[in-house]
Amino acid sequence: PGRTADAVVEFRKVLDARPDDADIAGRLAQILIDQKKYVEALELIERVSLRVQGSTALDLKRASLYFAQGVWDKALQYAEPLAAADQSQPEPRKIQGICLHKLGRDSEAYVVIKQLVHQCQDAEVGVLAGQLAIQAGEPDEGISFLRSAFQQSRSPETLDRVGEVLLRLGRSDEAKTTYEELRSLNSSYPRVQFKIGLAVAAMADKVKRQAAIKDLLARTPDDPELRS
């Protein structure tokens, strides 16, 4: 906090001396956004924009500012032209894709996010790509995206999503393996034993199912929900 406050003071001094310095304005605006001082950040961006026309850095900060507040249409308004102008930059495309999704334009969002997920290592993008792929009727690709996102984040919630999708698709053996992986990652994850039980109950092979049930009950003899 102390260093951040010092940085704010120094950036303000620079802007007093160079009021058209878009780079410093952008850095200061980002600190204010991180501090959730959105009104102050917007006022700063608008003031410097009057002096600096066509600054992509300031337009990106505008997009980030509206994105942080959940004003999806305004964030998209500034991010979309930046994404179209330079597709090598992941940040405006990420904002564009997520905003399209939040606005219910999932088919457009999927086009953006599917391209982006191959370009950058970002677990949030990967999870959204997985969700949109599954909605688009591409479950294998969706699972692959979710798995990649899990490798990046090691998030139990992401692994849980993989298990849910597999179970919904009737791929109970894979779901069981995934939920067992989740249990190894976090044994206290909510209802993980029950989820393994659901996968076991859905297994088509009777012999395998009975063996799996026996093993599961031996592991968790005192779980009433599982026994029911």
Side-chain angles (χ1 to χ4, degrees), residues 199-224:
V200 167
M203 292 170 70
D205 187 309
K206 184 178 179 180
V207 175
K208 274 172 77 173
R209 183 172 69 246
Q210 289 176 337
I213 290 171
K214 184 178 179 180
D215 175 68
L216 187 59
L217 291 176
R219 285 174 176 269
T220 55
D222 301 320
D223 190 326

Side-chain angles (χ1 to χ4, degrees), residues 111-133:
V111 172
V112 174
I113 293 296
K114 188 175 182 179
Q115 293 172 346
L116 183 59
V117 77
H118 295 298
Q119 181 183 346
C120 69
Q121 299 294 308
D122 186 312
E124 184 182 11
V125 171
V127 169
L128 181 55
Q131 177 184 332
L132 293 173

Side-chain angles (χ1 to χ4, degrees), residues 113 125-135 138 141-143 145-146:
I113 293 296
V125 171
V127 169
L128 181 55
Q131 177 184 332
L132 293 173
I134 292 160
Q135 285 178 202
E138 300 174 4
E141 187 146 33
I143 290 167
F145 287 145
L146 289 172

Side-chain angles (χ1 to χ4, degrees), residues 150 153-161 182 185-186 189:
F150 169 68
S153 68
R154 307 298 294 175
S155 163
E157 290 76 16
T158 302
L159 197 57
D160 189 11
R161 286 192 187 194
L182 176 58
L185 180 71
N186 182 356
Y189 190 82

